[in-house]
Amino acid sequence: MARHSRSRRRHYAGETGKFIAAAALALVTLIAAAWGMHLWVTTPAPTERERVTLCPVTAPKDLIVIAVDATDGLPEPAKIEATKRLTDLIEASPEDALLDLRVIDPATKAGRAVLTLCNPGDGRGVSEFTGNPEMAKRIWRQRFREPLIRALEGSFQTALSKTSPLLSTFQGIALERFTGAQAALAHKRLVIVSDMLEYVPGQYTQYPPADLRYERFKSLPVYRNVRTDLQGAQVDIFYIDRSLKPPFSTGVHIRFWIDWISDNNGQIGDLVKLQGAGKS
């Protein structure tokens, strides 16, 4: 009789253990399913992008235009420093930011377009459960960072020109990139690598012995022709120093451009005097 009782207890214990194991498995399955549903509901859909530029089909929230002036060439130290600074800018650009690289070209109203790409994100915000951060990092590097840096290095090649129409070029960029409903809500930034020496014979020149005071410039007919609206854009200037004789003053020249930014509805950003000096 005792043997039968012990046998029944073992049988019941075994059945109870199976029930507990099955219940635990069901609970784990339910939790996993609920977590999967949570991820599916809360994870945003992948951004729809244009195939070539990687830009979202919606309006970009950040617009960064880089304008390189190589009409008189760059001193080697300035070229090295500008490359490093702009590489940092490219790598730190916000996800989905549009980067538009241009060079000053008298034949092109808003500068000659070199390359336009959007930052697809480097994978840091991608979950391993719902995406592929390694693939995102590879796309960012191979289709965004590296092409832009190669294009940037190429844009520093000297393209000698008899004129340097900076003011009209910046006007063209503002009209093309910063104006209109698509750009209205975007954070705008214009990054200029240049000696900032405007030279359009018969209209306006900043070479000595020119009077570089902004108030003097405002009194000239050319002022109204090239005046623009930067639409609140931040303007950064990487200034290339030139070995110009007095009465040219670098301080007065930079002051002109600070006044120009303010007068044309821009925000003063970084003003960096690049290392090295070049002839002009």
Side-chain angles (χ1 to χ4, degrees), residues 124-172:
R124 277 180 288 186
V126 177
S127 168
E128 293 184 357
F129 294 102
T130 59
N132 189 330
E134 286 300 319
M135 180 179 290
K137 179 78 171 183
R138 186 164 58 251
I139 292 172
W140 175 84
R141 185 177 61 252
Q142 295 179 354
R143 296 188 57 194
F144 173 72
R145 180 189 183 277
E146 293 177 1
L148 268 173
I149 292 174
R150 284 196 301 270
L152 182 64
E153 291 170 347
S155 71
F156 289 144
Q157 300 301 314
T158 302
L160 294 177
S161 173
K162 295 181 180 180
T163 62
S164 186
L166 301 178
L167 290 162
S168 62
T169 299
F170 301 151
Q171 180 190 61

Side-chain angles (χ1 to χ4, degrees), residues 6-273:
R6 285 196 298 272
S7 176
R8 283 196 297 271
R9 284 199 296 271
R10 285 197 298 270
H11 173 73
Y12 292 147
E15 290 299 318
T16 301
K18 290 179 182 179
F19 175 79
I20 292 173
L25 179 61
L27 180 61
V28 169
T29 302
L30 181 62
I31 292 172
W35 177 246
M37 179 63 71
H38 170 74
L39 289 177
W40 182 78
V41 171
T42 59
T43 300
T47 302
E48 186 179 354
R49 299 183 182 278
E50 296 179 0
R51 187 176 62 85
V52 176
T53 65
L54 301 178
C55 290
V57 295
T58 55
K61 295 180 181 179
D62 293 271
L63 293 167
I64 304 173
V65 179
I66 301 171
V68 175
D69 177 11
T71 53
D72 277 325
L74 281 74
E76 192 61 27
K79 187 184 301 184
I80 293 170
E81 184 179 1
T83 300
K84 289 183 178 294
R85 288 182 177 275
L86 291 174
T87 297
D88 290 345
L89 183 153
I90 291 167
E91 293 178 343
S93 60
E95 185 171 339
D96 294 333
L98 182 149
L99 278 78
D100 183 355
L101 175 62
R102 301 174 180 228
V103 295
I104 304 298
D105 183 351
T108 310
K109 173 66 176 175
R112 175 168 54 83
V114 176
L115 184 62
T116 300
L117 292 174
C118 286
N119 185 347
D122 62 4
R124 277 180 288 186
V126 177
S127 168
E128 293 184 357
F129 294 102
T130 59
N132 189 330
E134 286 300 319
M135 180 179 290
K137 179 78 171 183
R138 186 164 58 251
I139 292 172
W140 175 84
R141 185 177 61 252
Q142 295 179 354
R143 296 188 57 194
F144 173 72
R145 180 189 183 277
E146 293 177 1
L148 268 173
I149 292 174
R150 284 196 301 270
L152 182 64
E153 291 170 347
S155 71
F156 289 144
Q157 300 301 314
T158 302
L160 294 177
S161 173
K162 295 181 180 180
T163 62
S164 186
L166 301 178
L167 290 162
S168 62
T169 299
F170 301 151
Q171 180 190 61
I173 289 172
L175 288 169
E176 188 174 316
R177 275 298 181 201
F178 299 156
T179 305
Q182 286 288 309
L185 300 179
H187 177 264
K188 307 167 189 69
R189 188 175 179 186
L190 174 60
V191 183
I192 306 165
V193 182
S194 174
D195 58 17
M196 303 305 292
L197 286 163
E198 173 83 3
Y199 180 64
V200 180
Q203 291 188 19
Y204 179 65
T205 178
Q206 293 186 330
Y207 281 86
D211 184 342
L212 297 178
R213 291 174 301 161
Y214 195 74
E215 287 303 315
R216 167 78 168 75
F217 168 68
K218 290 179 69 173
S219 70
L220 302 176
V222 67
Y223 169 76
R224 295 181 64 185
N225 293 336
V226 297
R227 190 174 184 184
T228 191
D229 186 347
L230 292 167
Q231 303 289 338
Q234 173 183 325
V235 181
D236 304 323
I237 299 176
F238 296 157
Y239 186 88
I240 303 167
D241 194 13
R242 298 293 183 195
S243 299
L244 296 176
K245 297 178 180 180
F248 182 84
S249 166
T250 299
V252 175
H253 188 218
I254 292 175
R255 181 74 250 175
F256 171 95
W257 287 103
I258 291 174
D259 291 341
W260 173 83
I261 293 169
S262 178
D263 187 41
N264 289 274
N265 191 26
Q267 303 295 322
I268 299 168
D270 295 331
L271 299 176
V272 179
K273 189 175 182 180

